[in-house]
Amino acid sequence: MRTQVLIVGAGPSGLLLGQLLHRHGIDTVIVERQSGEHVLSRIRAGVLEQGTADLMDEAGVGARMHAEGLVHDGFALTVDGVRHRVDLRALASGKTVLVYGQTEVTRDLMAARAAEGLTTLYEAADVRIEGFDGTVGPGGPGGAGGTGGTDGTGGTGGTSGTSGTSGTSGTSGRLPRATCTVNGEAVEIQADFIAGCDGFHGVCRASVPAGAISVFEKVYPFGWLGLLSDTPPVSHELIYTRHARGFSLCSMRSATRSRYYLQVPAGERVEDWSDARFWDELRARLDPEAAAALVTGPSLEKSIAPLRSFVAEPMRFGRLFLAGDAAHIVPPTGAKGLNLAASDVRYLSQAFIEHYRERSDAGLDHYSARCLARVWKAERFSWWLTSLMHNFDQEPAFQARLQAAELDYVLGSDAARRVLAENYVGLPL
Ligand code: FAS
Ligand code: PHB
């Protein structure tokens, strides 16, 4: 197979990138290790920044998000049993967030891709990528200046197989490609570029020569035990609770479906948590009003996510570009994971469109630095809010006093709340 941009991974990053490029006539193929049903079965993010919602609109898939998503103009921090509201609309210049599950985002993107008849190879086994580090000459594959593809069309883009981007000028002539097995058949896909949207455990970052990449990581001594239930939320807004027994989060997917999280020690096993144990522990951590309002029910899903902060630098290697969790991970406390993936995809889609439409590689050349400037600010905020709200039993007593002082300051200072709100709604793109 031959395409313009080969996308590895059909999570939100890969699907959103594929949809945005398609709307600008750029051909993509997506290879995904799992089935579509498996991808949809993962319960992850729940809060979209305005920039992410705007991107969904640009991709032409925002209708259900606007119809079913819940606009939230604030959330609560509960400390020592007292609930403190953070008024996003007042503190963040009128900005709000949208509560709409990642599962629904993925479902909308999958449906749009299928409706357009675009190629997604699900259950692709043994995916390998190569040829992405080819020395790309001034022309690049259909890029600015050079003669572009071997067919002399100068990279006008177009449908797969006929695009003017085939071949590369002034290079070793190797094209980036992926090989995999689908339904027992060996498949090879050649492309001008590869977008590594295959998440933290994917093959793309792992395919980069060790000497070419730097990684920065912090692993937290706890994880989040999440439970999804068809029960009404305890409050119309999210509640982040700091408690001596551990952090908890009351979130939601709709007025009838709730999402709850408990801080649990690293290494905890989900099999050790019956629904009854989960509900008892959650109730013990909530403020009295929330505890009284809690409606329990059978779990639809229950899982433990380990918490880590992780960044790989740079995010570009020749003709391979990493986006989303393939390049960075944040603890979910700040609701940044999915939103960071969306901002990477915004920058990468703009760069590819510039390459094929305006024959400029400025966006591609600036992609990594542009993403990382935003990634590190989100890493800082996610680490900070995690440090503020979770129990660190192993930390020295001095650290616990600093944490208490920081909380006291945040809750008592308009300036500090403004910083919290500005980061929570998402920094400017
Ligand atoms: P994803 O991991 O979603 O998608 C990558 C895709 O690539 C997957 O479908 C995978 O099957 C596929 N893939 C992997 N290896 C491959 C290979 N070799 N070949 C082909 N395909 C391959 N964020 C929040 O904001 N709030 C949360 O509460 C939250 N909870 C989370 C809980 C968990 C357990 C995890 C892991 C993450 C959570 N996140 C949360 C972060 C999450 O939302 C990510 O930011 C988001 O899924 C990023 O999307 P992608 O970059 O598309 O990566
Ligand atoms: C969620 O609803 O899954 C969610 C919401 C806010 C967060 C993390 C997760 O900070």
Side-chain angles (χ1 to χ4, degrees), residues 315-350:
M315 289 173 56
R316 175 205 185 160
F317 306 90
R319 279 171 277 160
L320 169 65
F321 295 80
L322 301 181
D325 277 19
H328 41 72
I329 297 287
V330 284
T333 322
K336 289 291 157 245
L338 177 58
N339 293 299
L340 265 187
S343 50
D344 290 351
V345 166
R346 174 188 294 277
Y347 298 148
L348 188 54
S349 59
Q350 286 171 349

Side-chain angles (χ1 to χ4, degrees), residues 392-403:
F392 291 77
D393 300 339
Q394 290 78 13
E395 294 281 337
F398 179 75
Q399 202 61 37
R401 288 290 188 277
L402 283 184
Q403 187 186 36

Side-chain angles (χ1 to χ4, degrees), residues 13-299:
S13 294
L15 290 167
L16 186 52
L17 179 62
Q19 195 58 22
L20 289 165
L21 294 182
H22 173 67
R23 288 179 65 90
H24 288 84
I26 298 169
D27 190 56
T28 62
V29 168
I30 298 182
V31 289
E32 162 58 51
R33 174 163 65 179
Q34 305 288 357
S35 67
E37 296 70 31
H38 180 95
V39 176
L40 287 172
S41 70
R42 297 188 197 115
I43 306 301
R44 292 191 177 165
V47 172
L48 305 187
E49 294 173 1
Q50 186 59 51
T52 303
D54 294 347
L55 209 53
M56 289 287 283
D57 285 333
E58 281 175 43
V61 294
R64 194 163 73 96
M65 175 188 70
H66 290 297
E68 298 178 16
L70 306 171
V71 175
H72 279 209
D73 52 19
F75 64 89
L77 295 177
T78 294
V79 178
D80 299 330
V82 178
R83 206 181 296 185
H84 305 264
R85 185 165 189 266
V86 179
D87 185 342
L88 295 173
R89 200 183 288 277
L91 292 165
S93 315
K95 288 187 178 178
T96 59
V97 292
L98 191 66
V99 171
Y100 188 67
Q102 175 173 322
T103 302
E104 305 319 313
V105 166
T106 307
R107 197 191 311 279
D108 295 338
L109 287 164
M110 276 181 179
R113 186 167 180 85
E116 303 278 1
L118 303 179
T119 306
T120 308
L121 302 178
Y122 284 104
E123 298 182 88
D126 305 320
V127 176
R128 298 173 198 284
I129 62 169
E130 53 189 53
F132 56 87
D133 55 353
T135 49
V136 179
T147 54
T150 51
D151 58 9
T153 58
T156 52
T159 57
S160 64
T162 59
S163 76
T165 60
S166 57
T168 50
S169 61
T171 73
S172 59
R174 293 181 309 143
L175 267 177
R177 60 191 167 285
T179 57
C180 60
T181 305
V182 180
N183 300 325
E185 293 287 313
V187 176
E188 176 175 294
I189 306 113
Q190 293 192 351
D192 298 329
F193 300 99
I194 300 176
C197 300
D198 51 346
F200 185 65
H201 301 289
V203 67
C204 290
R205 190 182 73 246
S207 300
V208 172
I213 192 167
S214 303
V215 296
F216 305 83
E217 185 169 33
K218 175 182 180 59
V219 178
Y220 298 85
F222 44 75
W224 277 18
L225 166 61
L227 182 146
L228 188 72
S229 58
D230 273 339
T231 56
V234 295
S235 163
H236 68 292
E237 293 182 329
L238 273 61
I239 306 175
Y240 293 76
T241 299
R242 174 175 160 61
H243 191 279
R245 298 175 69 98
F247 167 84
S248 68
L249 171 59
C250 298
S251 184
M252 64 197 76
R253 292 294 179 269
S254 71
T256 59
R257 178 164 286 193
S258 296
R259 178 71 172 166
Y260 294 107
Y261 295 97
L262 294 175
Q263 172 187 353
V264 293
E268 193 83 353
R269 296 177 338 127
V270 68
E271 301 79 40
D272 296 337
W273 283 85
S274 66
D275 287 6
R277 184 186 177 195
F278 183 96
W279 293 123
D280 290 344
E281 185 59 35
L282 175 64
R283 190 178 289 108
R285 298 186 188 187
L286 295 179
D287 62 64
E289 183 189 347
L294 180 63
V295 176
T296 66
S299 59

